[in-house]
């Protein structure tokens, strides 16, 4: 399988605090990888290191054969190949739903306004938000915002889509609508890395599950292995706490 | 008899009052606009993230240093003193004979700029960090992020403060009478100097100041409402 992203010996310090220790992880093309673990285990930091919202302290991130942590590597150029969906949605407050999906395409990818609008509409339709294109973020519910945010990320035609706890800030009745969109995406062959607390969802859609604990990858394997036959004691402990 | 004198002063001197008010409005409007532009520039430069090393770091450090000196000097001294120092200083030191209106606009602009720089900096800081991150995650450069996402929000956020500054400028241009700019206070002083009815003359001036400041406040409130857009949105079919 072609590797899209390969992480080698990645470490991250916040001050003297080592929050990521010697992380090795590779993600293949079309693979859906879920990262689970308790709060503070470093999973969000790892995701944010992948698109350099946090600067890794050491190690390598290989994207399409190139080490993007090398000096002089163009960060903006790299980031446009990765889509990111945030826990807090982070839709641009000064743009309506459609414009949120258009502005990046026009500015970063230099697409024409018409082409960008067409692409944006396609993905807004996919997430079921085509009726709300004129609405500003503050006029939308959490679930609606997150669906627009997913459409915005998809509009950039990314190679990899990163999800940072996309349902954690949602009211319970809105979690379903977002997970359904993500499930459809996972089935479409898109490469996805998902940090999540939704265990059922992770088990259902992932090709591979990574369990993190105290800044290290404690265990990884197929959903079957992790959820039914965890090898590590701490994985068993974590699952016992979260799966009631 | 006061009331009669007020009527008489208005009927006899209204062209002078109006000319004074027009000059006041002109100087404060241009000064606020230029000042806001200076402030926007300075505020944005001061919020550029400084890289850890390299030429750009040194350059930014120097520019930031200069901007800090500018802001502190003009915020820390009275405008009346700046007016005297700049107007007489320019002719003494550089042999420059400044046009009085130009000098007035210059002084109001750089003063407003110093205040607005801090207001803009606060405006940029108050934009949610997630907005920057989302723009960066899409692959926008710092400048693209600023132009498309952050600055439009900053401009909306600083609009009330800019309006406030405009109102302050309408009142504070009166100190420019020390360099004989023919604004409203200066005109009123010469009208009162002729008729010796100081209270009545300055009563008329206060009404004029009040009309100007209230009108400006009202217009800016309208502008804010318009920028916020409609409360509701229509569904697309």
């Amino acid at each position: 399988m072609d590797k899209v992203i390969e992480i080698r010996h990645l470490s991250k310090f916040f001050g003297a605090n080592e929050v990521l220790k010697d992380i090795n992880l590779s993600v293949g093309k079309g693979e859906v990888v879920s990262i689970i673990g308790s709060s503070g285990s470093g999973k969000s930091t790892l995701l944010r290191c992948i698109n350099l919202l946090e600067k890794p302290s050491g190690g390598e991130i290989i994207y399409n054969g190139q080490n993007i942590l090398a000096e002089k590597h163009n960060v903006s150029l790299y980031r446009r190949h990765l889509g990111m969906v945030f826990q807090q949605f982070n839709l641009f407050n000064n743009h309506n739903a459609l414009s949120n999906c258009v502005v990046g395409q026009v500015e970063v990818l230099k697409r024409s306004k018409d082409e960008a609008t067409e692409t944006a509409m396609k993905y807004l339709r996919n997430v079921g938000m085509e009726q709300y294109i004129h609405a500003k973020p503050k006029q939308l519910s959490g679930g609606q915002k997150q669906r627009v945010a997913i459409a915005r990320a998809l509009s950039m035609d990314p190679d990899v889509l990163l999800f940072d706890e996309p349902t954690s800030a949602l009211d319970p009745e809105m979690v379903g609508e977002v997970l359904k969109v993500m499930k459809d995406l996972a089935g479409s062959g898109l490469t996805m890395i998902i940090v999540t607390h939704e265990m059922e969802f992770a088990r259902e859609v992932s090709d591979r599950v990574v369990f993190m604990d105290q800044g290290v990858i404690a265990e990884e394997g197929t959903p079957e292995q992790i959820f039914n036959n965890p090898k590590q004691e701490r994985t068993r402990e974590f699952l016992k706490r979260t799966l009631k | 008899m006061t009331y009669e004198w007020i009527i008489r002063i208005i009927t006899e001197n209204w062209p002078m009052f109006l000319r004074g008010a027009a000059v006041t409005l002109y100087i404060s409007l241009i000064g606020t606009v230029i000042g806001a532009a200076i402030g926007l520039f300075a505020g944005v430069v001061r919020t550029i993230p400084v890289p850890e090393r390299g030429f750009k770091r040194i350059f930014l450090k120097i520019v930031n240093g200069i901007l800090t000196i500018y802001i502190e000097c003009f915020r820390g001294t009275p405008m009346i003193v700046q007016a005297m120092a700049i107007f007489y200083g320019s002719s003494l030191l550089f042999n420059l004979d400044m046009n009085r209106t130009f000098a007035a606009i210059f002084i109001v602009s750089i003063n407003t700029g110093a205040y607005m720089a801090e207001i803009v900096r606060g405006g940029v800081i108050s934009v949610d960090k997630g907005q920057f991150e989302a723009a960066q995650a899409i692959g926008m450069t710092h400048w693209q992020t600023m132009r498309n996402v952050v600055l439009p929000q900053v401009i909306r956020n600083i609009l009330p403060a800019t309006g406030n500054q405009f109102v302050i400028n309408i009142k504070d241009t009166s100190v420019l009478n020390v360099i004989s700019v023919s604004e409203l206070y200066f005109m009123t002083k010469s009208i009162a100097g002729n008729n010796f009815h100081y209270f009545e003359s300055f009563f008329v001036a206060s009404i004029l100041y009040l009309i100007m400041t209230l009108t400006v406040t009202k217009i800016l409130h309208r502008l804010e409402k318009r920028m916020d857009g409609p409360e509701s949105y229509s569904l697309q079919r």
Side-chain angles (χ1 to χ4, degrees):
Chain A
M1 188 160 45
D2 287 344
K3 284 177 192 162
V4 182
I5 287 182
E6 191 179 356
I7 297 162
R8 292 179 190 156
H9 308 296
L10 189 84
S11 68
K12 172 69 183 172
F13 286 86
F14 286 124
N17 190 12
E18 189 172 20
V19 290
L20 293 178
K21 297 166 202 162
D22 195 30
I23 301 282
N24 292 284
L25 178 70
S26 62
V27 178
K29 199 165 169 51
E31 206 179 5
V32 177
V33 176
S34 291
I35 305 175
I36 60 172
S38 44
S39 301
S41 59
K43 50 193 195 311
S44 278
T45 307
L46 171 59
L47 198 73
R48 290 167 60 81
C49 277
I50 293 177
N51 73 353
L52 303 182
L53 285 178
E54 300 290 349
K55 197 165 177 266
S57 309
E60 292 179 336
I61 297 176
I62 312 292
Y63 169 77
N64 282 344
Q66 283 187 17
N67 180 15
I68 52 131
L69 295 182
E71 198 100 1
K72 306 260 171 185
H73 198 92
N74 188 323
V75 176
S76 301
L77 215 57
Y78 161 69
R79 279 185 181 137
R80 72 174 63 165
H81 299 295
L82 306 181
M84 177 92 166
V85 176
F86 297 86
Q87 184 179 351
Q88 299 295 342
F89 330 122
N90 294 347
L91 289 181
F92 303 137
N93 293 328
N94 57 321
H95 292 274
N96 64 26
L98 177 62
S99 179
N100 257 284
C101 302
V102 166
V103 63
Q105 297 184 62
V106 172
E107 284 291 324
V108 178
L109 303 179
K110 309 293 176 204
R111 286 183 184 155
S112 72
K113 192 97 193 249
D114 288 345
E115 193 194 349
T117 307
E118 206 176 302
T119 311
M121 284 307 295
K122 183 175 90 186
Y123 290 115
L124 283 165
R125 235 174 272 131
N126 281 359
V127 299
M129 286 298 291
E130 73 274 21
Q131 284 194 304
Y132 299 88
I133 54 174
H134 298 305
K136 285 283 184 73
K138 65 175 177 190
Q139 295 163 327
L140 297 173
S141 73
Q144 291 174 327
K145 279 188 225 181
Q146 197 60 299
R147 284 189 280 152
V148 173
I150 292 172
R152 173 176 70 178
L154 289 170
S155 298
M156 301 296 287
D157 292 324
D159 292 345
V160 184
L161 207 46
L162 311 175
F163 291 87
D164 186 8
E165 302 193 24
T167 58
S168 297
L170 296 177
D171 291 337
E173 73 262 35
M174 290 172 183
V175 171
E177 62 187 74
V178 172
L179 290 184
K180 186 186 170 298
V181 168
M182 290 173 64
K183 211 164 126 185
D184 292 346
L185 286 176
S188 74
L190 194 73
T191 314
M192 292 162 64
I193 306 176
I194 307 165
V195 170
T196 185
H197 288 290
E198 298 285 337
M199 294 303 149
E200 280 304 316
F201 173 76
R203 189 208 292 250
E204 210 177 317
V205 306
S206 314
D207 298 313
R208 192 147 49 99
V209 176
V210 173
F211 170 66
M212 285 187 69
D213 186 45
Q214 297 182 0
V216 297
I217 293 180
E219 189 169 353
E220 62 172 296
T222 63
E224 172 75 9
Q225 283 165 357
I226 298 289
F227 288 105
N228 297 345
N229 300 303
K231 289 190 192 69
Q232 303 271 342
E233 181 56 38
R234 41 184 174 174
T235 315
R236 273 196 289 275
E237 279 294 315
F238 171 75
L239 289 174
K240 206 160 74 186
R241 265 184 283 126
T242 48
L243 296 174
K244 285 272 158 62
Chain B
M1 301 317 111
T2 306
Y3 169 73
E4 281 156 17
W5 263 104
I6 289 173
I7 299 293
R8 197 171 148 192
I9 287 169
I10 293 174
T11 46
E12 278 174 10
N13 300 294
W14 64 267
M16 273 180 89
F17 275 122
L18 281 191
R19 223 178 316 133
V23 171
T24 290
L25 206 55
Y26 173 69
I27 292 171
S28 45
L29 175 65
I30 307 282
T32 307
V33 170
I34 297 176
I38 295 172
L40 207 56
F41 170 79
V44 166
V45 168
R46 270 156 58 93
T47 48
I48 296 175
V50 179
E52 277 163 45
R53 54 184 173 276
F55 170 75
K56 205 179 152 200
R57 176 187 170 83
I58 300 165
F59 180 73
L60 271 176
K61 284 261 172 196
I62 293 172
V63 173
N64 282 341
I66 294 170
L67 286 175
T68 306
I69 293 170
Y70 156 65
I71 291 164
E72 295 306 332
C73 283
F74 282 92
R75 283 200 316 170
T77 55
M79 193 158 84
I80 193 166
V81 175
Q82 293 164 18
M84 295 296 266
I86 289 173
F87 185 69
Y88 292 105
S90 63
S91 71
L92 187 71
L93 298 176
F94 307 109
N95 219 2
L96 249 174
D97 191 16
M98 264 191 187
N99 170 303
R100 284 173 202 277
T101 312
F102 174 81
I105 290 174
F106 179 76
I107 290 156
V108 173
S109 300
I110 51 176
N111 230 286
T112 308
Y115 279 99
M116 291 297 295
E118 285 300 275
I119 291 168
V120 170
R121 197 168 68 91
V124 174
I125 291 170
S126 74
V127 172
D128 181 37
K129 201 168 136 249
Q131 300 282 306
F132 289 87
E133 289 189 346
Q136 283 168 4
I138 275 182
M140 286 193 193
T141 60
H142 178 74
W143 176 233
Q144 286 173 329
T145 305
M146 277 301 195
R147 195 160 47 88
N148 294 292
V149 179
V150 178
L151 283 185
Q153 296 182 48
V154 170
I155 288 170
R156 170 62 189 90
N157 288 346
I158 65 166
L159 209 58
T162 312
N164 194 27
Q165 195 62 41
F166 191 9
V167 168
I168 290 173
N169 282 344
I170 288 174
K171 297 182 295 170
D172 283 7
T173 44
S174 58
V175 308
L176 295 168
N177 81 86
V178 295
I179 56 169
S180 308
V181 177
S182 54
E183 42 70 52
L184 183 54
Y185 175 85
F186 184 82
M187 291 303 229
T188 311
K189 207 170 64 170
S190 59
I191 290 166
N194 279 329
N195 59 26
F196 297 109
H197 284 264
Y198 282 87
F199 168 70
E200 292 84 348
S201 304
F202 278 99
F203 181 77
V204 175
S206 7
I207 298 295
L208 286 172
Y209 274 116
L210 208 53
I211 290 171
M212 285 192 280
T213 51
L214 290 179
T215 312
V216 165
T217 309
K218 193 91 197 146
I219 290 172
L220 277 155
H221 272 269
R222 285 265 171 86
L223 190 64
E224 280 172 37
K225 276 243 170 84
R226 259 188 72 171
M227 277 184 89
D228 286 342
E231 289 289 314
S232 59
Y233 57 91
S234 55
L235 287 182
Q236 187 76 15
R237 272 168 241 284

